[in-house]
Amino acid sequence: MTSGDKIRCDACPVMCYIAPGQTGACDRYANVEGRILRSDPVLLLSRTAERGGRIIPFASAGWKDTLAPVDAIITGIGAGTTYPDFKPAPFIVSSVVAGADMVTVVTEAIFSYCGVKVKIDTDRHLGPEGAIVRAEGQAIGHVTTAEYGSQMLSLGGVHHLTGGEKAEGRTTCASLLALCNGAAVPLEIEGGCSVIVQAGRPPVVDGRAEVRMRVGCGSATIGMFAAGWQGLVDEVVVVDDHITGVVSEHQAGRVIGWPPTGIRIKGHRSTPGRYFRVSEPGLGWGGTRLTDPLDILGPWNPAKGARAGLRLLMVSTTGEDFAYYVLDAALTPQPAPLPEALRATVDLIAENCETSLCTVLFMGGAGGSLRAGVTRNPVRLTRSVQAGETRLTSGGAECYIWPGGGITFMVDVTRLPPRAFGYVPTPALVAPLEFTLPRAAYLALGGHAAAIRALDEVQASGGEYVTSARLWPKEVE
């Protein structure tokens, strides 16, 4: 086959025939002068590299060692794949770390068993638990549990990637890729809201950017700030979709001697001063549907302390919504300007709220064939990772390894350098991996000894496919 012909790429199961000057279906490999070229450069991390990164010669005639800092390490980003791993991983690099002989196996891994877990910091009700999450009209995941001040989504997974129609798989893959590479992705939740998710950025719910993560539930807010309200107001209600708190009844109020006020809350009383289900969940006060907080109040009881002139503060768990009332002669709350002294307490709630953000964790299973690119005895790699002998990183970022069988890991996508993830049109995601362990341990688990090379050898000769390299500053851990 000459350079003027199409050549077959064997970097993934699609095995594209690539015409001269063109890329394969994944855009990751190209036919350049009759050779397969990995179109993205291999990423080298260095603590001494200047921020911003730069392309450097790699495996070229003009290469000089001094062009890369001595602390440079090769990541899986741009390294290429050897799937289905009938041959050693693209780079198996020896190094000396603090006097210890180490080996790092570097590869890009293809994941159809993968997805992202999304944490959205918001009190707003995004949708019922189990609701389908759609992108461009296609189902790509579902709503899972509500956590403390956050709503969780589970997106992707093998059933959405490969178990449905082609459009569902393509859209799921494109959405996961965008999220993992830090792009904003609009999502629709059945029976709920639209939300724009972007890792490390505030969520946008129904067109409104979230600002604050709640300081706590209504009960916790009472606990934190009850003493600060004492003497400034006669009653405080913290409106919350989970637990609405009432200071005069709450344990915190009683401990500091807060007198009863005869207030009545429409809701399910859990313990004194703590109420469930004061409203349906929604986009109003404290994640409820409430636009008027007085809707959760019943008649005031004068026999238990209600009186004309009683002062009432109602506030949400972020301090974004608040109102001040004074009871009239008929014991009906009448709106009144918020006293400056009370405004400071509302501001204190807001000050204690953390910034609302989206968190995206990539989750994949590395317990399949890619282990054969590391060792001839794959289960030994699994055991070594589970035992903590082998350190797994993704693009240089620390991973969380799930206990139990396999090598199922999660990584915060914001900890990886930009554009670290790719895809193949099967469809599946491509993520960088590095396995680092002592050289002796690597050999003991059946590692590919003949494929081990020093970093300078790798820089001089490159890998199986032609590529360049990019330097990127490694964050100091």
Side-chain angles (χ1 to χ4, degrees):
M1 188 173 293
T2 69
S3 61
D5 297 324
K6 290 182 179 180
I7 54 176
R8 192 167 197 175
C9 175
D10 62 356
C12 87
V14 177
M15 301 188 75
C16 298
Y17 283 98
I18 305 176
Q22 301 297 314
T23 62
C26 63
D27 291 329
R28 298 168 57 239
Y29 292 90
N31 178 352
V32 177
E33 298 178 350
R35 292 189 64 185
I36 294 294
L37 176 143
R38 178 68 177 91
S39 53
D40 298 311
V42 177
L43 200 75
L44 305 181
L45 291 180
S46 170
R47 288 195 173 95
T48 59
E50 295 180 0
R51 180 167 290 278
R54 59 192 178 99
I55 296 289
I56 60 175
F58 189 70
S60 66
W63 171 261
K64 295 181 180 178
D65 290 345
T66 53
L67 292 176
V70 293
D71 69 340
I73 57 173
I74 296 181
T75 73
I77 303 169
T81 52
T82 56
Y83 187 85
D85 306 291
F86 50 88
K87 51 190 175 182
F91 299 104
I92 302 178
V93 186
S94 64
S95 62
V96 177
V97 179
D101 289 329
M102 306 294 290
V103 170
T104 299
V105 181
V106 177
T107 187
E108 287 180 309
I110 298 174
F111 293 95
S112 54
Y113 282 90
C114 72
V116 298
K117 308 303 178 190
V118 179
K119 172 175 169 283
I120 301 172
D121 300 334
T122 180
D123 265 354
R124 320 288 173 196
H125 178 67
L126 300 183
E129 197 167 305
I132 298 297
V133 178
R134 296 184 181 276
E136 299 177 359
Q138 298 295 325
I140 68 165
H142 61 275
V143 177
T144 65
T145 53
E147 302 299 339
Y148 204 80
S150 307
Q151 177 64 66
M152 309 295 288
L153 308 181
S154 179
L155 306 180
V158 69
H159 296 300
H160 287 295
L161 281 167
T162 62
E165 300 294 329
K166 285 185 177 180
E168 179 181 341
R170 285 196 295 265
T171 303
T172 300
C173 186
S175 300
L176 295 182
L177 180 63
L179 286 170
C180 289
N181 282 336
V185 176
L187 302 172
E188 296 285 341
I189 298 174
E190 287 189 355
C193 301
S194 66
V195 57
I196 299 176
V197 174
Q198 184 173 13
R201 302 296 298 273
V204 179
V205 180
D206 279 352
R208 172 183 169 183
E210 292 290 277
V211 177
R212 302 172 193 164
M213 183 179 182
R214 73 176 180 175
V215 68
C217 69
S219 174
T221 307
I222 292 286
M224 282 186 275
F225 303 112
W229 287 315
Q230 196 169 30
L232 301 178
V233 65
D234 299 309
E235 183 64 280
V236 179
V237 177
V238 181
V239 180
D240 177 33
D241 172 50
H242 178 210
I243 302 175
T244 288
V246 179
V247 71
S248 66
E249 301 177 359
H250 194 275
Q251 181 182 2
R254 291 188 175 185
V255 168
I256 62 175
W258 203 291
T261 62
I263 193 171
R264 288 178 179 171
I265 301 292
K266 300 175 184 175
H268 177 76
R269 187 170 181 264
S270 168
T271 55
R274 302 168 75 250
Y275 291 85
F276 298 150
R277 300 197 298 271
V278 298
S279 166
E280 293 297 316
L283 302 181
W285 280 54
T288 69
R289 289 186 179 179
L290 296 170
T291 55
D292 183 355
L294 296 179
D295 288 347
I296 66 171
L297 300 187
W300 291 74
N301 185 352
K304 292 188 176 181
R307 55 181 168 75
L310 187 145
R311 301 163 297 173
L312 167 67
L313 171 66
M314 302 189 79
V315 62
S316 69
T317 48
T318 60
E320 292 171 296
D321 297 301
F322 58 87
Y324 180 71
Y325 306 91
V326 178
L327 296 194
D328 63 13
L331 302 185
T332 300
Q334 299 297 333
L338 182 71
E340 282 303 312
L342 271 182
R343 179 174 293 279
T345 68
V346 173
D347 291 344
L348 186 60
I349 293 176
E351 181 183 343
N352 278 270
C353 293
E354 296 174 80
T355 302
S356 179
L357 295 174
C358 297
T359 304
V360 177
L361 300 184
F362 173 79
M363 180 171 172
S369 71
L370 75 83
R371 295 175 299 171
V374 182
T375 168
R376 295 180 179 85
N377 197 336
V379 74
R380 291 186 180 178
L381 176 64
T382 304
R383 293 168 181 162
S384 180
V385 171
Q386 289 288 355
E389 178 185 50
T390 294
R391 180 186 185 222
L392 175 64
T393 54
S394 177
E398 201 69 39
C399 297
Y400 171 77
I401 310 296
W402 282 73
I407 307 174
T408 303
F409 71 97
M410 293 195 299
V411 62
D412 178 355
V413 301
T414 63
R415 300 297 305 274
L416 278 73
R419 302 181 302 281
F421 291 83
Y423 80 103
V424 293
T426 52
L429 250 64
V430 176
L433 290 181
E434 304 92 29
F435 298 90
T436 301
L437 69 167
R439 185 186 186 105
Y442 180 64
L443 298 177
L445 60 80
H448 300 288
I452 298 174
R453 294 181 291 167
L455 180 60
D456 56 356
E457 295 178 80
V458 173
Q459 291 172 336
S461 57
E464 179 178 355
Y465 305 110
V466 178
T467 185
S468 58
R470 178 189 294 270
L471 270 175
W472 194 261
K474 178 178 175 57
E475 298 292 339
V476 176
E477 297 175 348

